[in-house]
Amino acid sequence: MPEYVVSVGMECHAELLTKSKMFCGCENAFGGEPNTRCCPICLGLPGTLPVFNKKAVEQVVCTALALNCEITLRTIFHRKNYFYPDLPKGYQVSQYGNTPIGINGWLEIEEADGSLKKIRITRVHLEEDTGKSQHVDGLGYSVMDYNRAGVPLMEIVTDFPPDVESGEEARLYAETLRSILLYLGVSDGKMEQGSLRVEPNPSVRQKGSEVYGTKTELKNLNSFRFVQQGVEYEAKRQIAAIEKGEPVLQATFGWDSEKNETVLQRIKESEQEYRYFPEPDLIPIEFLPEYIESLRAHLPELPIARKRRFIEQYSLPSTDAAQLVSERATADFFEAAAQRADPKLVANWMLGDLTRLANAASQPVYATPITVEHLAGLVNAIGKGTITGKIGKELIDSMHAQSKSVEQLIQERGIKVADAGTVQEIVQRVLAANPDIVAKIKAGNDKSKGFLIGQVMKEAKGQARPDDVNRFLDEGLETL
């Protein structure tokens, strides 16, 4: 069997975080009572005129800049004609041709070995979302909810030939793009709610061939894991069809997460069938270069750059830095705490006990009752020897439950760390009570020392400093 190469074009749609819809004043929000957030304009009734949402345009420009795109200084909207019941107007207002807001961009994904790969982006454009079909089981018909119709929708399309070459790279691309959108604050990136839709277009060809195979489009992928699985399954399906001499049709497939397989939805239209033409009811948008530069100047530091800085500035492991920059608010929380306490210890507590408490409460780390000041206070109390790490692990649960600082809890509970003399006495008693363990250590079994440490901590009720325990144990063992 010949070897095959997988190529994956990526089309991603992100609903924008504006207060109103793209061309009318209806509220832009998720869910709600069906058909309560629509009006004659977003339903496309005769005699209505759309007016574009300035904030949505600005958010797309910022995204295009963050994705290293050139900005088209004069851009227009088009009508994309195709009939679906979820398009009440019978067409979609979108952008087409050489006038999307952003062109010729790229983003970098970080591979498993830490290397960076550039994924080229051909366009970033603005359009309106459709309504939602709700299928009524057993009744043979569907009902429509037009609350989503007209919501500002940004589409980001990778270049051809595709740079994404596997299901894993498709997942990494989607994760990286979502992180950038969250940092910019232009989308909430909730795949499970459909506000971020990742649609890979995989194709396969024999290795060495310059002729690309027929692509298919994957939809209904509501997690990054399904993005990877969908691409991998579809590549295998296409290879199997080619080996059997069957044609690969340009079609749209859904993903069945229960069966872990793609399901044919419809044969894909060709571009000519959309019959694009300029939208006559909307004026062109012309950007001044100084306006574009003013937006560029206010872009935040993006995830990959921030991760590199965390590694260099705070000497964090790559995996820790990656987790901390996954969301902008989490990274901001870490930096605020790291300015008040040891950065490495702050990272350890954030990624350990604070994450545990946040997950149990279904909260993000930055939104728990433990504030930046509380976390820094805990780290500093351990660093100064006011409490031990063991006591800190006990107190952090109370800090979360009661929203109190470590100083308040120490005072309320009268917590005191055992002084050096007390620890030395406890160590001597533990050594005298465990001659068999001492003999094992003397014989070279260093692992047995852990048992003695545990006994000392138990007798000290967790109030002994680890440095004191280790020092007095070493001194005691040398004299025996």
Side-chain angles (χ1 to χ4, degrees), residues 8-14 63-64 66-69 104-112 115-125 154-182 191 196-201 221 223-225 227-228 231 303-304:
V8 189
M10 301 293 292
E11 297 179 4
C12 296
H13 292 82
T63 303
L67 296 175
N68 306 289
C69 290
N104 301 329
W106 52 268
L107 64 74
E108 289 180 319
I109 60 173
E110 186 170 6
E111 306 273 20
S115 63
L116 297 177
K117 180 176 182 179
K118 183 179 288 187
I119 308 298
R120 292 169 301 127
I121 292 168
T122 188
R123 58 190 289 126
V124 179
H125 70 257
M154 173 171 57
E155 183 172 4
I156 301 162
V157 183
T158 56
D159 209 346
F160 185 86
D163 298 313
V164 175
E165 298 174 304
S166 69
E168 181 182 15
E169 288 188 355
R171 173 181 58 79
L172 289 171
Y173 172 85
E175 290 175 342
T176 303
L177 179 60
R178 178 182 182 272
S179 187
I180 290 172
L181 298 179
L182 292 177
M191 294 181 71
L196 176 63
R197 291 163 233 160
V198 180
E199 297 167 2
N201 286 219
L221 301 166
S223 77
F224 296 121
R225 180 167 59 92
V227 169
Q228 179 168 347
V231 169
I304 286 184

Side-chain angles (χ1 to χ4, degrees), residues 174-184 188 224 302-304 306-307 310 318-332 334 350-351 355 364-366:
E175 290 175 342
T176 303
L177 179 60
R178 178 182 182 272
S179 187
I180 290 172
L181 298 179
L182 292 177
Y183 264 65
L184 295 172
D188 62 21
F224 296 121
L302 296 177
I304 286 184
R306 201 169 195 183
K307 177 189 171 184
F310 277 15
S318 177
T319 52
D320 289 359
Q323 292 181 67
L324 290 170
V325 304
S326 60
E327 290 190 56
R328 185 178 178 181
T330 301
D332 290 344
F334 165 75
M350 279 188 66
L351 299 175
T355 296
V365 169
Y366 54 82

Side-chain angles (χ1 to χ4, degrees), residues 243-425:
E243 292 295 322
K244 294 176 184 177
E246 299 172 354
V248 175
L249 299 178
Q250 185 171 326
T252 297
F253 288 79
W255 175 250
D256 188 326
S257 58
E258 293 184 0
K259 296 180 180 179
N260 289 328
E261 63 183 27
T262 57
V263 179
L264 178 64
Q265 291 183 330
R266 62 185 172 89
I267 301 300
K268 183 77 172 174
E269 291 89 348
S270 65
E271 190 172 279
Q272 290 81 2
E273 291 178 275
Y274 292 134
R275 293 177 291 117
Y276 283 98
F277 66 87
E279 168 57 65
D281 292 335
L282 288 167
I283 62 172
I285 299 174
E286 295 190 2
F287 298 114
L288 295 174
E290 51 266 35
Y291 170 74
I292 300 301
E293 292 309 310
S294 70
L295 294 180
R296 191 194 306 274
H298 290 89
L299 291 178
E301 184 182 30
L302 296 177
I304 286 184
R306 201 169 195 183
K307 177 189 171 184
R308 290 173 185 160
R309 181 169 63 80
F310 277 15
I311 293 171
E312 295 173 3
Q313 181 175 343
Y314 302 115
S315 300
L316 297 180
S318 177
T319 52
D320 289 359
Q323 292 181 67
L324 290 170
V325 304
S326 60
E327 290 190 56
R328 185 178 178 181
T330 301
D332 290 344
F333 186 97
F334 165 75
E335 289 224 82
Q339 293 171 6
R340 296 168 169 83
D342 183 281
K344 285 187 176 181
L345 296 179
V346 167
N348 290 342
W349 282 93
M350 279 188 66
L351 299 175
D353 288 85
L354 189 52
T355 296
R356 169 180 60 83
L357 293 166
N359 289 343
S362 299
Q363 297 171 313
V365 169
Y366 54 82
T368 73
I370 297 177
T371 64
V372 165
E373 292 75 17
H374 287 176
L375 180 60
L378 175 66
V379 171
N380 286 330
I382 296 170
K384 293 175 183 176
T386 307
I387 60 173
T388 64
K390 185 176 187 301
I391 293 175
K393 284 186 171 292
E394 296 171 359
L395 291 183
I396 195 170
D397 285 43
S398 298
M399 292 168 66
H400 184 271
Q402 301 173 32
S403 191
K404 291 183 177 180
S405 69
V406 68
E407 293 83 5
Q408 288 175 295
L409 293 172
I410 289 172
Q411 186 175 3
E412 289 175 4
R413 301 184 185 188
I415 296 172
K416 293 182 180 179
V417 173
D419 59 62
T422 301
V423 176
Q424 189 173 25
E425 291 175 7

